[in-house]
Amino acid sequence: MGVLKTAAFISLPILGICATVLYLLHKKEEDDLHETLQDVKTSRVKLIEMKIPNSVVGVVIGRGGSNIKDIQQKTETRINFKEEDDNEEYRTCYIRGTAESAQMAESMLHEIITTQPLIIVYETWVPEKAVGRIIGRNGENIRSISRASNTKINVDSVSSNKRGEPNEVRVVIKGTSEMIAVARSLIQEKVDEDAEVRRKMELCQSSRSPRNKPKSSVNSSLTNSPEKEKKTQMSESLIPTGSNKMMNIFVSAVESPFCFWVQVYGPRSVELDHLLDEMTEYYSVEENRILHEIKELEIGRIVAAPFSQDDKWYRAEIKTIEVNDCNENESQVDLYYVDYGDSDYRKKSDICQLRTDFLKLRFQAIECTLANVKPSGGEQWSEKATDVFEELCHVAQWKPLLAKVVSCDQQPRGRREGSPVPSVHLFDSSGPEDIDIGEELVKQGLAVREDSPQRSLSRASGASGASTPFLPSATSPEPSSDAESNT
C-alpha cells in the first residue's frame, strides 16, 4: 500500500510537466502558423500604375536602363513601360512587387522626376548666310554644339521668316536655361566666325587685279596619263550641296560657252590669294629663283611661273615645249595656270621649280560647260557669242555669279580629258532682276536651246540678290578652310 502511494505521488509532477510541454509545443505551432499566414498575407504582389512625362522618360530609364535597374535592385521590384502608348504627353509605367517595395520604387521614381531641371524650348534667328558654317560639313558643327551644350538643336532648312526681317533662319534649341545659354554662345561664335571670313573674302576680292583674256591655246588637250590623272585629282571640284544645288563662283577664264573655267567663291579664295602673295614674295628673290632653277623641262610638270600681265607668281602646268636648239633657256613653254584656267607662253629661264609646300591647296580652276544651249547656225561658237558670254560672265573681274550644276559631261571639250566636266547654268543676281546667262545668249540670237529641265531662277526660289553673295541652307554647309579639302 505504501508503494502505491509513493508511485502516485511521483507520477503527478511528471504528468504536469508533460502537460506543460504539450501546451508549449501547441502554442509554438499556433504562433508559427500565425506568422506564416501573416507573411502570406503581406507577400502578395502589388501592381502600381504610374504616368511618366515623356520629357523625362529617358532620364528615368537612364543610359542603357541603368536607373531602372538600380531601382529594381534596391526595392526588389520589377518595373516595365507600356510598349504602345497613345498619349503624347505621358508613358505608362508598371511597378510589381510587395506593397512596401512597390511604394518605395514609386517614391524613388517620383524623386527622379521632381528633381529634374525644367526643360524649355527656345527660338532664335540667325543670318541665312551663316547657316552653312553653323551646321558644318555633314552636320559636324551642329552636332558638336549640341553635345557641348547637352541640348537638342534644329535648324530650319528653309527660311520661314515670321518676323519680317529678310535673310534669316530660325533655330530651335531645347534644354534647360543654362544649357540653352551655352548653345546660344557657341552658335554666336559661328556667326561671328562666318562674318569675319566674309569680310576677308570681300577684302581679297576688292584687291584682286583683273586678268586679260586667255590666248587661244587654252583649248589644246593633253593625252591621258597616270600623271595627268593624278593632277586632275588635285583639282578643286564643283560639287553642289543642299536642295537648291546653287554655288557662288567667279568665271576666271573663257575659251567659249562650251569651255570655260570657274573658281568657287569661298574661303578657298582667301587661301589662294595668300598662297600667291607668299609665292610672289619668295620667287621675287633672285637667290631663291637660282635655287629652284629648272634643269630639264617635262610636259605635265607643275611649276612656278609669272604671268605676262602682272608681276605676280602663279602655279602652272607645262603643256607644250618649243625647244630652242641654239639657247635652251630661250625655249618657249606653253603654260596652263591651274588656279585660273588661262594660258601664257614663257621662256624656260622665266619659270622655276615649285616648292612642295605650295601644293598644299587644291588647284582652283574648274573647267565647266554651259548647260542646255548650243551655237546657233553651226557646231562652233562665233567670236561674237564668246565675247558676249565673257561680258555677261564678267570674266576675270571677280564678280560673283550663281552656278547650278545640272549634269557632268563625260566627254569634255576642253583640257581635262577623261574627267567629267560639270555642265552648269549661270545666273547673275547682282541687278534688280536675275539674268540667266544661257537664256540671254538665246535672246540675242547667239545660241539655241537644247532640251532641258526647268531652268528659271527667281529670288523666291533661292537667288540671293546683290546683298547676299552666298546661298547656304540647312543641308548645304559652308566650305571650311580645314585641311580636309586640300588632301
Side-chain angles (χ1 to χ4, degrees), residues 28-58:
K28 184 176 187 302
E29 288 179 357
E30 286 185 345
D31 291 343
D32 289 344
L33 179 60
H34 178 75
E35 290 179 4
T36 301
L37 292 174
Q38 186 67 24
D39 288 343
V40 170
K41 182 178 179 180
T42 58
S43 63
R44 290 176 181 173
V45 174
K46 183 172 184 179
L47 177 66
I48 296 179
E49 182 179 313
M50 186 175 177
K51 301 293 186 181
I52 307 292
N54 279 327
S55 59
V56 296
V57 166

Side-chain angles (χ1 to χ4, degrees), residues 267-370:
R268 294 290 178 267
S269 304
V270 179
E271 292 182 37
L272 176 61
D273 289 341
H274 290 167
L275 175 65
L276 299 183
D277 288 342
E278 187 178 351
M279 287 180 59
T280 300
E281 181 180 359
Y282 183 78
Y283 289 105
S284 296
V285 179
E286 184 177 1
E287 289 81 359
N288 294 334
R289 294 198 302 271
I290 294 174
L291 178 65
H292 294 279
E293 180 182 355
I294 289 183
K295 304 300 181 182
E296 185 176 350
L297 296 172
E298 179 184 354
I299 292 178
R301 185 175 184 178
I302 304 298
V303 298
F307 188 63
S308 59
Q309 303 300 323
D310 57 37
D311 57 357
K312 289 188 175 183
W313 283 73
Y314 300 89
R315 303 184 297 181
E317 179 182 347
I318 297 177
K319 296 172 60 179
T320 61
I321 305 167
E322 296 179 8
V323 179
N324 187 320
D325 295 329
C326 298
N327 186 349
E328 185 180 2
N329 285 334
E330 294 296 317
S331 298
Q332 291 292 310
V333 183
D334 186 5
L335 297 173
Y336 166 79
Y337 291 87
V338 295
D339 295 307
Y340 292 85
D342 48 13
S343 297
D344 197 8
Y345 281 106
R346 305 295 301 189
K347 296 179 182 179
K348 176 179 179 291
S349 57
D350 292 337
I351 63 180
C352 295
Q353 299 174 1
L354 186 67
R355 241 173 53 186
T356 55
D357 59 306
F358 290 144
L359 285 170
K360 61 185 179 181
L361 183 67
R362 285 179 181 267
F363 302 149
Q364 295 299 296
I366 306 170
E367 184 183 344
C368 297
T369 184
L370 192 61

Side-chain angles (χ1 to χ4, degrees), residues 30-193:
E30 286 185 345
D31 291 343
D32 289 344
L33 179 60
H34 178 75
E35 290 179 4
T36 301
L37 292 174
Q38 186 67 24
D39 288 343
V40 170
K41 182 178 179 180
T42 58
S43 63
R44 290 176 181 173
V45 174
K46 183 172 184 179
L47 177 66
I48 296 179
E49 182 179 313
M50 186 175 177
K51 301 293 186 181
I52 307 292
N54 279 327
S55 59
V56 296
V57 166
V59 178
V60 168
I61 294 175
R63 186 183 295 274
S66 58
N67 289 347
I68 287 294
K69 291 176 183 177
D70 184 57
I71 294 174
Q72 289 182 142
Q73 184 177 2
K74 290 180 178 178
T75 61
E76 297 182 354
T77 56
R78 186 173 183 82
I79 303 173
N80 300 99
F81 281 86
K82 187 177 180 180
E83 291 296 333
E84 296 181 3
D85 206 328
D86 297 333
N87 196 309
E88 296 181 357
E89 296 184 4
Y90 296 94
R91 280 193 66 183
T92 303
C93 169
Y94 297 107
I95 308 171
R96 291 179 176 86
T98 64
E100 183 180 357
S101 59
Q103 290 172 1
M104 182 185 300
E106 183 183 21
S107 299
M108 294 177 72
L109 290 174
H110 273 300
E111 184 178 359
I112 292 176
I113 295 171
T114 56
T115 56
Q116 288 306 303
L118 179 63
I119 302 297
I120 60 176
V121 176
Y122 179 85
E123 289 187 2
T124 186
W125 296 78
V126 298
E128 184 178 15
K129 59 187 178 182
V131 169
R133 186 166 296 276
I134 293 171
I135 293 176
R137 188 182 298 274
N138 298 321
E140 179 181 346
N141 290 348
I142 200 70
R143 286 195 298 268
S144 176
I145 294 172
S146 182
R147 286 193 300 266
S149 61
N150 199 24
T151 58
K152 184 176 181 181
I153 304 174
N154 181 62
V155 182
D156 286 354
S157 59
V158 179
S159 178
S160 53
N161 189 354
K162 299 178 181 179
R163 302 193 308 176
E165 298 182 15
N167 304 318
E168 288 193 330
V169 171
R170 187 182 63 160
V171 178
V172 180
I173 310 172
K174 185 177 181 180
T176 66
S177 57
E178 293 81 4
M179 295 172 181
I180 289 174
V182 174
R184 290 179 59 193
S185 175
L186 295 174
I187 291 173
Q188 186 59 46
E189 285 182 10
K190 293 299 179 184
V191 172
D192 296 340
E193 190 178 301

